Amino acid sequence: MIQEVESHSHHISRQFNIELEDVKTRMLEMGGKVEKQLHDAINSLVSLDSELAQRVRDDDNLIDTLEVSIDGQCSRILARRQPAASDLRLILAIIKTIRDLERIGDESSKIAKMAIRLSQDGDLPKGSGEIQHIGELVRHMVHNALDAFARYDTDSAVAVTDEDEDVDEQYSAAIRAMIDCMQEEPAKIDSFLNLVWALRALERIGDHAKNISEHILYVVRGTDVRHGGLNR
Amino acid sequence: MIQEVESHSHHISRQFNIELEDVKTRMLEMGGKVEKQLHDAINSLVSLDSELAQRVRDDDNLIDTLEVSIDGQCSRILARRQPAASDLRLILAIIKTIRDLERIGDESSKIAKMAIRLSQDGDLPKGSGEIQHIGELVRHMVHNALDAFARYDTDSAVAVTDEDEDVDEQYSAAIRAMIDCMQEEPAKIDSFLNLVWALRALERIGDHAKNISEHILYVVRGTDVRHGGLNR
């Protein structure tokens, strides 16, 4: 009888692990889709490809739907399995991470909106080089954050938070350059402002990648490292 | 014996209810502090009061600390009490709401930063009237969202999501007015851009108030109403 109970509880725990792995995999798949959205959004802007930009805008719904679906899956696991310790932390970290991913999708969609506006103007104003450059940095951060989550790699997670400082500095420099451009060509303020919004979206995406890294540290270490509590 | 067990489980459930009420009260208290931050940030900008603005910036740490503390309290309740159904939804909604509140605090801090920059310039450019007006709308939204959460009032929650559309329209109009101002006075682009950032922060705060309303609907109705699934 005891053996049967043990075998049953072993079965439940194996089933539970499968469920945890499944929801984590779905989160990482959502991450892959969001990475692609970001990639396409940046490309659509620097190449003034309004069709690609429109596709990014259209696909944002898919990301939203995924977030709601994975969030629901997490709630059901919490209700049925009542996980504790690191399993509980994993579920809570997934709930927070998909929210950051959804926001990255949203910001990518904003970049695509700016691409559409700029393609209507016909030519790309100065400053698109900065978009490309900061875009690469930020894509790198998002990719590395997701990769670190897949492998519970805290060193890589900490490295992502370091990259965010670099992005913030380059963002500030790019905004100052934009202000100079606007003052030189006030007639094009509208166009430059579209680039400013795109830069702002990239800077926000960097923040979300940093958040994701902090969620990983929470899963692995069991302590909340946000707001300056980062322990290297 | 059965009576003893029942009395014990009654005791546990009463104790659990006290814990749930306590964490909800702490969330609402955090909400009150965030409302004050937003109020002070807007006032510091429209009156160019850099001392008040600096206080808002300094107090942002308190908000961050509160979020981490309440988030930890929620995790402990999940681990110890393993709530189900509406109790579980309440805890998950509180975890999400305090994140939105923390973001509102952050955006208020950005408004205060713009107030400090503008006070260094010495005079307020045109457009501060829009800040005051949209600021009032957004403060109203945050207040009503928290009030609706306190009373689980779904009608008020839905009303907040409606207000967000109004804010978005007025925000777009204000940005267009800012672009005109910049084109008329290119030398003051820097100052105007500070107002643009403050407007942007207010628009984001409106989004967070809308999010909070959606969390309330999730607690009461048990369905995720985000991304267009709002059922009136």
Side-chain angles (χ1 to χ4, degrees), chain B residues 180-223:
Chain B
D180 290 342
C181 290
M182 286 187 212
Q183 279 167 338
E184 278 166 31
E185 298 183 87
K188 283 193 178 173
I189 283 178
D190 234 342
S191 289
F192 286 123
L193 212 47
N194 289 329
L195 286 186
V196 165
W197 295 134
L199 283 167
R200 183 76 161 187
L202 289 173
E203 186 263 342
R204 294 291 302 133
I205 291 171
D207 287 345
H208 289 293
K210 186 182 169 195
N211 290 347
I212 293 172
S213 300
E214 290 173 342
H215 303 325
I216 300 162
L217 297 176
Y218 166 73
V219 176
V220 177
R221 296 181 182 166
T223 50

Side-chain angles (χ1 to χ4, degrees), chain B residues 4-221:
Chain B
E4 254 179 50
V5 170
E6 272 179 1
S7 146
H8 180 65
S9 95
H10 177 73
H11 176 72
I12 285 183
S13 115
R14 204 179 53 194
Q15 182 59 33
F16 178 38
N17 282 335
I18 291 171
E19 283 179 34
L20 282 180
E21 273 308 304
D22 178 58
V23 73
K24 185 181 162 196
T25 301
R26 288 191 67 206
M27 175 199 77
L28 292 171
E29 283 170 0
M30 177 182 174
K33 288 193 169 63
V34 167
E35 274 188 69
K36 184 172 185 307
Q37 287 283 88
L38 174 56
H39 179 253
D40 288 350
I42 296 167
N43 276 358
S44 75
L45 196 147
V46 296
S47 63
L48 289 183
D49 182 341
S50 62
E51 272 180 43
L52 181 60
Q54 192 53 51
R55 242 182 353 258
V56 171
R57 306 245 332 136
D58 294 341
D59 287 353
D60 191 42
N61 286 335
L62 297 177
I63 306 290
D64 294 347
T65 308
L66 272 175
E67 192 218 344
V68 171
S69 164
I70 299 172
D71 191 82
Q73 193 178 353
C74 287
S75 298
R76 285 191 297 279
I77 291 177
L78 284 176
R80 280 195 216 136
R81 299 291 186 177
Q82 308 183 326
S86 67
D87 293 338
L88 174 60
R89 291 202 302 276
L90 174 59
I91 294 292
L92 292 176
I94 290 174
I95 288 176
K96 290 172 183 172
T97 298
I98 55 174
R99 194 154 182 92
D100 283 305
L101 288 174
E102 187 265 331
R103 300 293 315 149
I104 295 173
D106 230 39
E107 299 291 344
S108 300
S109 179
K110 284 183 198 165
I111 295 170
K113 187 176 175 183
M114 299 308 134
I116 292 169
R117 283 195 197 164
L118 286 164
S119 70
Q120 283 158 354
D121 296 348
D123 69 330
L124 202 58
K126 276 182 289 184
S128 65
E130 272 88 347
I131 298 275
Q132 176 106 53
H133 174 62
I134 297 179
E136 280 302 318
L137 291 178
V138 164
R139 274 182 55 203
H140 196 251
M141 282 178 74
V142 174
H143 182 81
N144 287 1
L146 289 166
D147 202 47
F149 205 140
R151 295 180 287 108
Y152 298 122
D153 179 342
T154 55
D155 289 343
S156 297
V158 170
V160 170
T161 65
D162 287 341
E163 282 175 70
D164 192 42
E165 285 173 36
D166 186 27
V167 167
D168 285 351
E169 274 171 33
Q170 303 218 23
Y171 163 76
S172 297
I175 293 292
R176 283 194 300 275
M178 282 291 116
I179 293 173
D180 290 342
C181 290
M182 286 187 212
Q183 279 167 338
E184 278 166 31
E185 298 183 87
K188 283 193 178 173
I189 283 178
D190 234 342
S191 289
F192 286 123
L193 212 47
N194 289 329
L195 286 186
V196 165
W197 295 134
L199 283 167
R200 183 76 161 187
L202 289 173
E203 186 263 342
R204 294 291 302 133
I205 291 171
D207 287 345
H208 289 293
K210 186 182 169 195
N211 290 347
I212 293 172
S213 300
E214 290 173 342
H215 303 325
I216 300 162
L217 297 176
Y218 166 73
V219 176
V220 177
R221 296 181 182 166

Side-chain angles (χ1 to χ4, degrees), chain B residues 217-232:
Chain B
L217 297 176
Y218 166 73
V219 176
V220 177
R221 296 181 182 166
T223 50
D224 201 324
V225 296
R226 289 172 300 159
H227 311 306
L230 197 68
N231 192 3
R232 279 135 205 278

